[in-house]
Amino acid sequence: MTVTLTVMGGKHNGRQIPIHVPEFRIGRDQRCHLRPNSPEVSRFHCAILQKPNGVFVKDYGSKNGTLVNHRLLQGGELQLQDGDIVEVGPLAFIVSIVGTRTPTPEPAPAEETESQVIEIGTTQGEPSPNDTVAIRVDVGTAAGADRPPDAGPIWAYE
């Protein structure tokens, strides 16, 4: 299945974030895939989970909770439907779910030797699934001491 988060509002309105891993973590910690720069977002806030029976959002017991269709989810898990709205701190996303294929984990990426920066909105084109993307992006898929090798790409959102 293909799962995408589309940014609602702000200067990145309409920006699409594809979910390519079974557990896409959102929070300020470096091990998260999407890292909003906001004190309203916990270090490990929530995750978008792709399971054989559907797509779910799981709140990790965050201080402010996660909103799904304007309803508070705190410390629990809820199945998502195509078109649902997920809010994490000041950020809001529309969830797009297409197809029914079961997700497969990404292979561990090769060690990166150089950092690459991609500026959203430039003429460099759309990012690939292995890029780190958002407003200003550092490619950070290399496994590190604090990061599991299957963690997937990092999206730094400022």
Side-chain angles (χ1 to χ4, degrees):
M1 91 181 72
T2 302
V3 180
T4 305
L5 299 179
T6 302
V7 178
M8 294 177 58
K11 63 182 177 181
H12 302 290
N13 187 44
R15 174 62 53 195
Q16 294 187 343
I17 302 171
I19 308 298
H20 294 288
V21 293
E23 182 176 351
F24 183 84
R25 292 179 303 277
I26 301 172
R28 291 180 293 118
D29 191 272
Q30 288 187 354
R31 292 170 283 182
C32 292
H33 299 93
L34 176 66
R35 297 193 307 245
N37 185 18
S38 170
E40 295 176 46
V41 177
S42 298
R43 283 183 45 232
F44 289 98
H45 198 99
C46 67
I48 304 298
L49 307 174
Q50 294 186 62
K51 298 181 177 185
N53 58 335
V55 178
F56 297 78
V57 62
K58 178 178 183 176
D59 183 84
Y60 290 129
S62 64
K63 181 179 176 183
N64 296 318
T66 302
L67 296 175
V68 179
N69 297 326
H70 310 291
R71 293 185 178 201
L72 181 64
L73 172 67
Q74 197 162 27
E77 190 173 303
L78 181 67
Q79 187 164 7
L80 295 171
Q81 303 298 320
D82 184 55
D84 281 349
I85 297 172
V86 174
E87 296 175 68
V88 180
L91 306 176
F93 306 96
I94 297 174
V95 178
S96 172
I97 304 169
V98 178
T100 58
R101 186 177 59 82
T102 303
T104 55
E106 289 186 355
E111 187 82 22
E112 297 277 342
T113 56
E114 293 184 23
S115 180
Q116 179 183 21
V117 176
I118 299 172
E119 295 288 341
I120 297 298
T122 66
T123 58
Q124 292 177 325
E126 289 298 313
S128 78
N130 293 326
D131 289 335
T132 301
V133 182
I135 310 318
R136 179 180 179 279
V137 183
D138 294 322
V139 174
T141 56
D146 294 356
R147 192 165 159 74
D150 64 344
I154 302 167
W155 296 65
Y157 198 97
E158 298 176 2

